[in-house]
Amino acid sequence: MEHCIVYFSTSVGLFQEDDLVAILEQSRRNNARFGITGVLLYVRGSIIQVLEGQKESLDALYKRIEQDQRHKNVTKVLSRSINERLFTQWNMGYETLTTSQLDAIRSFVNLNGQPQSTAGKDEAVVLKMIKLFYENNRSN
């Protein structure tokens, strides 16, 4: 069964282009090895990441993410089984966000610190909205 985790975090300092390139290269290599797909969205220190794959692989990756010293306030906002992956073509897609785009995504996501685990319609809408945003705004 496929699984999905979405989390928010805050970078310890503002990432520079070189920092992001290094993170993405490492993520893409590791994710390809473990069959994980997803997307990383970033704006001025705020991070949203969607991860898809086998639950065991995602749980292990999320534990490493929580320990990563490059960011803090790691908050899992969604953890649930999914019928199909939305980011199948990306071991780790990436896009920067504007502040208003980040606020729009946050308005859909429960930020009370408790991960959402049910497969309700609202979670599917959030994931599809993030995918649509990424597809419409990524560099070709």
Side-chain angles (χ1 to χ4, degrees), residues 21-99:
V21 168
I23 290 167
L24 292 169
E25 287 176 356
Q26 179 182 11
S27 295
R28 288 174 179 149
R29 277 192 311 272
N30 292 338
N31 290 354
R33 188 173 52 213
F34 294 107
I36 294 171
T37 57
V39 65
L40 174 74
L41 305 174
Y42 177 79
V43 63
R44 292 188 211 135
S46 294
I47 299 165
I48 299 172
Q49 189 165 18
V50 178
L51 300 166
E52 303 169 319
Q54 295 297 308
K55 185 171 182 355
E56 298 78 24
S57 296
L58 291 183
D59 288 343
L61 174 59
Y62 187 75
K63 285 181 185 177
R64 288 192 306 273
I65 288 169
E66 286 181 306
Q67 301 303 313
D68 191 323
Q69 298 298 307
R70 295 174 290 191
H71 63 161
K72 58 186 177 182
N73 304 323
V74 179
T75 304
K76 189 184 299 184
V77 295
L78 180 76
S79 180
R80 70 174 184 97
S81 296
I82 54 175
N83 293 325
E84 63 181 320
R85 295 183 189 205
L86 295 178
F87 300 98
T88 56
Q89 298 178 2
W90 306 302
N91 291 114
M92 187 46 57
Y94 167 73
E95 187 63 49
T96 57
L97 299 172
T98 66
T99 302

